[in-house]
Structure formats: C-alpha cells, structure tokens
C-alpha cells in the first residue's frame, strides 16, 4: 500500500460514553486507516453502535478525544455530517414516499439542488439495483431492498467515510453478497468504511482489517490475513454411520467433545491434517457421512477473544 | 429546508383521513353558523316589534363563529404537531435527518411550519362563513382581519405546545395527552385559576355618597390577578378585536371583552340612576352622566386598559420556551438522553 499522507478515517484516545451506570464506550483508543474496509467486531453490548453514533456526530462523548475524517464531532459537527455517511442498524423510511423521492429528499438534506438531487438519486438507484422500484412506494420493498436503499441514502452526499451498523443483519446470503460487492466498490473508489457486525464470516470476506471490541474497549486491531485465529487449531465436526467405530479410530487427544447424535468435535492443526484424518478413517472402513469446519479465521479469533480474561 | 416542509406536507395531504376531517370540520362550522343566523334573525324580528335594536345578525354570527372556530382549533390543532418529533424517533427517521446537514432549527421550523400551514387550512375553511356573516352587515373589515390574525396566532401557539410535547415526551400517546392538557390549561384552566385567586383577594369597603344620603359597599380588589386571564386565547381574541360602534349590541366578542376588561377596573361601576342623574364614582356625586349614556354600559365611561398586550406577550414567551425546548432536544451531538431514549 502506498504511503498515506491523509488523515486516518478515525482516531480516538480515551473515548468514553456512559448511559447511566453503563459504560458503553470505555476509554477507547483506535486508529482506523483511511480507504479501507474495517470490520468492527464484538458481542452485543460491546459498544459498537454507541461508537458509530459518536463517529456520526449524533451522540456526544463524555470524555476523550476523537477525530472523524480529521474533524472533531463536538465542535465541527457540520463538517463531520458532510464527511460521513451513516447507516444505522435500524432505520425507518417515510411510507408515503417512493424510493426515488426518498433519495431526493435526502439529497436536499445535503444541500444538493433539486436537479443535482434528482440526478444523484437516479444514479444511486442504478448503483444499488433498484431501478424497478424507483417509482414505487418504499413500503413495498423487501428487507434486503430496503437495506440497499438505506445504503444508497448513506451515499447521497459522496461521503469520505461510511459507517455501516450491522448492514447485513436479516439479509439472505444472496443479498449479503450484493451488499459486500457494493461496499467493496466504495472502498475501491477511495471511501473509508467501518462496518460493524457479529456475522463474522461475512465481514471476513469483505474487510481489510478488523477491530475487536469488548465491553466498550478495543481489544485488538489486526489485518485480516494476520488474524491470531488463522494459525490456530480449527474445530471440525465429524459424524459416521457407526459412532463407536469412529470414536475408536479418532486420535483421543483431538476429541473435544461428543455430540448427542454421536458426532465428534475434534480440534486439528490444519486443513492438511483434517484431509489426512478423513482419508485414514475411510481407509479403516469408517463410514464418514459428515465433516464440517466449525469456525474459521475471524470466528475462531472472536471465540478466542471471549475466552481471554480481560485486564 | 423547503424540501423538508414540502415532504412533511405531502405526507399529511396524502392521507385520506385528513380530507375527511376537513370536510367534517366545514360541515360543523356551516351548521353552527346557519343555526346562529336563524336564532339571531328570529330574535331581531321579535325585538323589532317593540322597537328594540340590541340584536344585530352580522356581528352575532361573526362573533360566535370566531369563538367557535377557536374552540374547535383547540380540539384539532394540538394533534397536528403533538407526535411530530417522537413519532419520527419511534420510526427511526429522526436520527437520519439529524445526521444530514439540516440544522436542528431547520428541522424544528419545518415541523412547525407544516403543522401550522395545515392548521391555517382549517382556519381558511371558515373564511366563506365569515364572509356570509359580514354580508349581513355590521362587521367591519379591520375587525374581521384582526380576529383572523389572532386566530392564526392562537393556532401557532397550539402547534408550538404540541411540538414541545412531542420533543419532550417519548411516547406519542402521552405527548398528545400532554399537548391537550397544556391547551386546556390555557383556555379553561387559567380562567378557573383566576376565579379561585379571587377567593384569596383582599376586600375593601367604600363609602359612596349621593345627594341626600350615602351607603357603604364591599368589593374585591382584583389587583394583579387579571394577568391570569390574559394569556387565554379566548380572552385575547375578544379583547383585541376592535370595537365597531359605541352602541352595545349582541356581539359575543364584545360581551366577552366587556367581561374580561372589567377585571382591570380600579373600581366597580356602580351605577345608580335616579331622576335623570347618575352617580358613578365616589366624589362625583351630583354631576353624573346623562341617562342616555347609561343605557349603554360601554359608553358610560372610558374602558379599562386592555389585557391583550400582556396576553400576547405571555403567549409569545410560551412559544419561545417551546422553541427552546424543541431545539435543545433536537441538538446533536446529543449529550443527555432520557432513560430508555435512543438516538437511533
């Protein structure tokens, strides 16, 4: 990657925000590089949504320092709103507007002239593939189509930073793949993207790096290729027609637990080891009917994260 | 900004219910005006048999219509804005608006303007009936214009109260209830409070003399308490409408005006008529006012000072307070959230 001279997409030091007694974001330090897709991963309640609200200039931090595209959301709210496209996990639409009117409405909200807003709205409708729905009321859209419309809305003003809060939740696999393509296309055009989710596999495929959050704090930043989980032993689920024959021939040290249906959960060092094991089982006459990986990369790293006691 | 208002209005007007409500509104007003006209006409004809001229059809119709429209607006207008902000919060559209380049004051102003314009449509629907009243004669142009300006101002006040309720209260049912309680307090609660405050007001005894005798009279000193009446939209409406004539006729606005102004009289108008002279005030015995003037209580002496400037000032203060609260609740980045409140 070429040397970046521009601002990081997000920079924070000691950023905190509480709701009553709950510290949603707790002395958070993050450096999120620009022009990348950064996954924000953590369990529910880790503070992902709160962090994104602060970055979108909607929620004030209690303390700490934060810069979004180089601006302080507290003092330069207008500049932050101009630089950031925010797509919340839950958002409403105006029922009586058509998809095109909806985007034009937000174009006007970003000070586009009505001509510019109209052009931009049609452009975005085409980008997210909703051409057939531009003149139809928003409420006829499916969940996946609504998500795409929401994504288009976040892009109306050509933001430099996209904040996507759980964009893939509730989408079918096909819609997720489409969303992933759209997000990657924005990254390729130079937009920084922060995307939160607990649908880990989905983020692993689209992201360049990942920030793990737990209890309001950042507990790790990793390039996707260098995840701690990628060198780890992986778990597999193996099931055979005869459970006893299977158990007898599996290396005892590898068995983590036995499932109720007789399937064994085993931990193996690598895919090569897994391939050898299945070949050996078949050679020995065990009728293997199922062998599936239980967690890979990001997910394994996430599970590992949860096991680590927090300082 | 204009796009925001246009979209708000479009959403309102696309609803079928809105048009049905407007039709019902017009039907009620038409019915009331027709009934008042029939009643006033009957009464006027009856009076004329005896040479009376108290009942005038035009002013009776117009005054009743104006008070009735204000009453109906107090029932309809708060609902136009009482869920404007919290319903958008509930639907998850408010935070999206707040994340754009719209400033809180633009959002607030758009909400206010769209509700207010809708209220003005209701008000405008009464104009044909006002013209009908005026065609009966006796309703001056200036009077009609001022009455409508005050009615529009009252609509603005109701909208502002509803908007404040919708920004301060999370649940839409509760904010609507609160808006109605606020409007009801202003229109009915304050006069009741005024009445109650008189129970605690000091009493004074005055000795009045007249040629050939004297008597004492005990009366209540109202003092500052008239201020409690002043912000009432009905009081402002009746009090601010300019009088058309020196003669007292059956105009409900004039009757109400005379009633509320008496709250600012330094002393009660005790009028004693005796053999062509009248004693009005302590110390003026013997001179009096000609009997003809006494027949018309409004002409007998100067009117007390008006309540409406104070009333309008209090109303303007209320609107300012509402605006402050709405802006405070719309401001981003948000510092404090109520328990259970979400930004998005």
């Amino acid at each position: 990657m070429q040397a970046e001279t521009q601002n990081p997409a997000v920079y924070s030091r000691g950023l905190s925000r509480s709701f009553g007694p709950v510290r949603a974001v707790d002395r958070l330090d993050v450096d999120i590089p620009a022009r990348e897709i950064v996954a924000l991963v953590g369990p529910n309640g880790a503070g992902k949504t709160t962090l994104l609200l602060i970055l979108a200039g909607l929620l004030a931090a209690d303390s700490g320092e934060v810069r979004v595209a180089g601006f302080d959301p507290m003092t330069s709210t207008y500049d932050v709103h101009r630089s950031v496209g925010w797509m919340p996990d839950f958002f409403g639409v105006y029922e009586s507007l058509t998809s095109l009117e909806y985007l034009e409405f937000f174009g006007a909200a970003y000070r586009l002239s009505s001509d510019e807003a109209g052009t931009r709205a049609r452009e975005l409708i085409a980008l997210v593939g909703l051409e057939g729905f531009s003149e139809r009321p928003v409420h006829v859209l499916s969940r996946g189509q609504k998500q795409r419309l929401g994504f288009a809305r976040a892009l109306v003003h050509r933001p430099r930073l996209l904040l996507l809060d759980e964009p893939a939740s509730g989408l079918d696999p096909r819609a997720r793949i489409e969303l992933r393509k759209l997000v990657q296309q924005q990254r390729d055009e130079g937009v920084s993207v922060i995307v939160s989710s607990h649908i880990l596999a989905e983020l692993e495929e689209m992201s360049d790096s990942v920030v793990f959050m737990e209890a309001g704090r950042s507990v790790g930043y990793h390039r996707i290729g260098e995840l701690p989980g990628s060198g780890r032993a992986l778990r597999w689920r193996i099931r055979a027609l005869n459970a006893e024959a299977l158990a007898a021939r599996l290396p005892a040290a590898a068995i983590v637990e036995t499932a109720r249906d007789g399937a064994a959960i085993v931990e193996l060092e690598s895919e090569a080891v897994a391939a050898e094991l299945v070949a050996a089982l078949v050679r020995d006459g065990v009728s293997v009917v199922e062998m599936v990986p239980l967690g890979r990369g990001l997910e394994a790293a996430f599970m590992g994260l949860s096991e680590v006691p927090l300082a | 900004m204009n796009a925001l208002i246009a979209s708000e209005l479009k959403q309102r007007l696309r609803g079928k219910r809105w048009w049905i409500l407007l039709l019902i509104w017009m039907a009620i007003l038409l019915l009331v005006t027709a009934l008042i006209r029939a009643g006033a006409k009957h009464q006027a004809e009856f009076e004329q048999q005896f040479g009376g001229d108290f009942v005038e059809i035009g002013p009776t119709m117009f005054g009743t219509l104006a008070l009735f429209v204000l009453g109906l607006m107090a029932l309809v207008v708060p609902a136009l804005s009482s869920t404007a902000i919290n319903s958008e919060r509930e639907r998850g559209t408010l935070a999206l608006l707040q994340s754009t380049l719209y400033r809180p004051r633009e959002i607030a102003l758009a909400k206010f303007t769209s509700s207010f314009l809708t209220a003005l449509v209701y008000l405008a629907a009464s104009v044909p009936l006002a013209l009908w009243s005026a065609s009966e004669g006796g309703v001056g142009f200036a009077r009609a214009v001022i009455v409508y300006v005050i009615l529009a101002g009252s609509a603005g006040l109701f909208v502002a109260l509803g908007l404040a309720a919708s920004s301060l209260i999370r649940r839409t049912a509760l904010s609507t209830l609160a808006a109605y309680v606020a409007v009801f307090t202003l229109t009915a609660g304050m006069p009741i409070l005024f009445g109650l405050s008189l129970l605690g007001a000091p009493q004074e005894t005055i000795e009045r003399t007249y040629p050939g005798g004297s008597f004492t009279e005990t009366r209540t000193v109202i003092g500052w308490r008239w201020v409690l009446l002043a912000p009432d939209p009905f009081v402002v409406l009746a009090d601010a409408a300019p009088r058309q004539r020196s003669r007292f006729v059956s105009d409900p606005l004039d009757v109400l005006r005379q009633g509320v102004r008496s709250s600012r009289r330094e002393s009660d108008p005790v009028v004693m008529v005796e053999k062509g002279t009248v004693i009005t005030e302590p110390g003026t015995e013997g001179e009096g006012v000609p009997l003809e003037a006494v027949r018309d209580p409004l002409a007998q002496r100067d009117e007390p000072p008006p309540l409406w400037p104070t009333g309008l000032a209090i109303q303007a203060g209320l609107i300012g307070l509402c605006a402050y609260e709405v802006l405070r609740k719309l401001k981003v980045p948000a510092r404090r959230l109520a328990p259970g409140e979400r930004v998005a």
Side-chain angles (χ1 to χ4, degrees):
Chain A
M1 174 170 283
Q2 69 195 41
E4 292 280 3
T5 51
Q6 71 183 102
N7 289 319
V10 171
Y11 159 92
S12 84
R13 289 293 175 269
L15 187 67
S16 298
R17 168 76 205 203
S18 301
F19 296 105
V22 182
R23 283 194 157 228
V25 172
D26 187 12
R27 288 160 288 166
L28 181 82
D29 300 339
V30 287
D31 294 277
I32 292 179
R35 308 166 80 90
E36 284 193 10
I37 300 172
V38 178
L40 190 61
V41 175
N44 290 332
K48 304 185 298 287
T49 294
T50 304
L51 174 61
L52 292 179
L53 286 172
I54 294 173
L55 300 183
L58 290 171
L59 191 65
D62 295 330
S63 59
E65 197 186 345
V66 63
R67 293 287 177 277
V68 181
F71 299 109
D72 181 348
M74 286 309 294
T75 55
S76 309
T77 314
Y78 195 84
D79 290 313
V80 166
H81 287 178
R82 207 174 47 198
S83 313
V84 168
W86 173 67
M87 180 180 169
D89 53 347
F90 166 77
F91 64 93
V93 288
Y94 298 100
E95 295 290 316
S96 53
L97 298 185
T98 67
S99 300
L100 196 65
E101 285 172 335
Y102 182 73
L103 293 178
E104 284 171 346
F105 172 75
F106 278 97
Y110 284 104
R111 314 280 190 222
L112 301 183
S113 73
S114 80
D115 281 354
E116 286 169 333
T119 310
R120 184 66 179 150
R122 273 182 289 277
E123 210 173 280
L124 289 167
I125 289 275
L127 179 78
V128 299
L130 288 176
E131 290 95 336
F133 297 88
S134 61
E135 303 295 338
R136 306 195 50 191
V138 173
H139 62 82
V140 305
L141 299 184
S142 70
R143 171 150 181 94
Q145 289 164 337
K146 256 183 204 168
Q147 287 289 90
R148 275 188 276 160
L149 183 66
F151 184 76
R153 185 203 54 77
L155 289 176
V156 163
H157 57 304
R158 303 178 195 278
R160 287 159 57 194
L161 171 63
L162 265 181
L163 303 174
L164 311 176
D165 198 357
E166 306 272 356
S169 70
L171 296 189
D172 61 47
R174 187 188 172 80
R176 267 190 235 164
I177 291 167
E178 283 167 356
L179 185 74
R180 190 178 80 207
K181 282 184 190 156
L182 287 170
V183 173
Q184 285 174 335
Q185 191 184 343
Q186 289 304 310
R187 187 263 325 269
D188 295 342
E189 288 176 13
V191 177
S192 313
V193 183
I194 299 176
V195 51
S196 81
S197 180
H198 47 246
I199 302 170
L200 307 169
E202 183 61 36
L203 290 192
E204 188 176 13
E205 285 168 53
M206 76 158 87
S207 312
D208 301 309
S209 56
V210 55
V211 170
F212 290 106
M213 270 187 90
E214 171 96 43
R217 310 189 68 164
S218 160
V219 289
Y221 169 85
H222 304 278
R223 311 291 312 165
I224 282 291
E226 302 156 4
L227 278 174
S230 49
R232 252 173 114 87
L234 300 185
R235 288 182 178 187
W236 298 76
R237 174 188 157 86
I238 307 176
R239 191 164 65 86
L241 288 179
N242 185 336
E244 281 159 22
L246 174 70
R249 284 179 174 77
L250 282 174
I255 300 178
V256 180
E257 60 175 293
T258 307
R260 208 175 289 166
D261 62 354
I265 311 296
V266 297
E267 202 164 85
L268 303 171
E269 273 159 39
S270 67
E271 291 192 337
V273 174
E276 271 170 36
L277 176 66
V278 80
L281 288 173
V282 171
R283 216 167 31 237
D284 292 350
V286 180
S287 314
V288 176
V289 290
E290 182 185 340
M291 177 149 177
V292 288
L294 288 181
R296 310 184 294 108
L298 202 49
E299 191 151 359
F302 180 64
M303 296 314 286
L305 173 81
S306 302
E307 288 161 14
V308 177
L310 289 160
Chain B
M1 179 63 200
N2 290 332
L4 196 51
I5 297 170
S7 140
E8 291 273 338
L9 284 176
K10 205 185 283 180
Q11 287 179 70
R12 278 183 201 281
L13 302 187
R14 275 188 191 174
K16 208 178 194 176
R17 277 184 309 176
W18 191 86
W19 294 101
I20 294 172
L21 198 58
L22 185 64
L23 278 178
I24 295 174
W25 165 278
M26 291 172 78
I28 291 174
L29 288 185
L30 179 65
L31 186 71
V32 166
T33 313
L35 282 175
I36 294 296
R37 184 176 181 279
K41 201 176 176 98
H42 181 80
Q43 190 64 32
E45 280 163 4
F46 179 74
E47 267 195 11
Q48 272 162 15
Q49 295 173 1
F50 309 99
D53 57 359
F54 175 64
V55 175
E56 282 191 17
I57 298 170
T60 307
M61 280 173 76
F62 183 77
T64 311
L65 178 70
L67 290 172
F68 197 77
V69 165
L70 182 58
L72 276 191
M73 285 206 308
L75 289 179
V76 171
V77 175
L80 295 177
S81 62
S82 67
T83 63
I85 290 170
N86 51 10
S87 72
E88 282 223 34
R89 248 190 240 288
E90 221 164 63
R91 278 185 299 166
T93 51
L94 186 67
L96 292 180
L97 271 188
Q98 289 173 304
S99 78
T100 68
L101 299 184
Y102 281 138
R103 294 190 163 93
R105 61 167 183 273
E106 291 175 285
I107 298 174
L109 198 60
K111 294 278 175 203
F112 178 86
T113 308
S114 60
S115 301
F116 185 56
L117 287 178
T118 311
L120 289 188
V121 172
Y122 280 100
L123 186 57
S126 73
V127 168
L129 300 170
L131 291 175
W132 184 23
S133 311
S135 73
E136 298 285 346
V139 184
F141 181 73
R143 180 180 177 81
V145 168
I146 288 175
V147 161
Y148 267 83
V149 167
I150 299 284
L151 285 174
S154 302
L157 176 65
F158 298 158
V159 167
L161 290 172
L163 207 56
S166 81
S167 74
L168 289 171
I169 298 169
R170 191 157 49 90
R171 289 190 36 209
T172 51
L174 286 182
S175 65
T176 301
L177 183 65
Y180 278 108
V181 168
V183 168
F184 186 76
T185 301
L186 211 53
T187 53
M190 294 310 279
I192 292 171
L193 197 63
F194 170 75
L196 291 176
S197 79
L198 294 184
L199 297 177
Q203 306 275 320
E204 68 177 8
T205 307
I206 300 168
E207 175 145 341
R208 294 189 192 266
T209 57
Y210 58 95
S214 71
F215 64 98
T216 57
E217 179 204 331
T218 307
R219 63 188 189 92
T220 302
V221 180
I222 294 173
W224 57 269
R225 292 174 184 79
W226 61 269
V227 173
L228 294 172
L229 276 180
D232 187 320
F234 288 96
V235 171
V236 171
L237 177 68
D239 195 45
R243 285 178 65 191
Q244 291 291 272
R245 64 196 76 72
S246 58
R247 210 168 60 80
F248 189 61
V249 298
S250 62
D251 182 336
L253 288 177
D254 271 354
V255 173
L256 184 55
R257 170 201 178 97
Q258 199 205 351
V260 298
R261 286 240 174 145
S262 67
S263 71
R264 292 200 72 179
R265 236 187 254 294
E266 293 303 320
S267 59
D268 286 345
V270 172
V271 179
M272 298 197 58
V273 182
E274 197 175 322
K275 292 178 182 169
T277 56
V278 60
I279 304 96
T280 57
E281 293 286 325
T284 60
E285 70 268 27
E287 297 173 25
V289 180
L291 185 57
E292 290 72 42
V294 180
R295 275 209 187 127
D296 184 346
L298 288 187
Q300 106 209 347
R301 47 189 281 171
D302 290 339
E303 269 198 302
L307 290 77
W308 63 264
T310 310
L312 282 185
I314 295 173
Q315 291 183 354
L318 277 176
I319 291 175
L321 191 67
C322 290
Y324 174 80
E325 283 302 321
V326 170
L327 289 179
R328 195 175 60 85
K329 294 297 287 182
L330 283 177
K331 190 181 181 306
V332 285
R335 282 192 180 280
R336 294 181 58 181
L337 301 179
E341 188 181 350
R342 280 173 61 100
V343 175

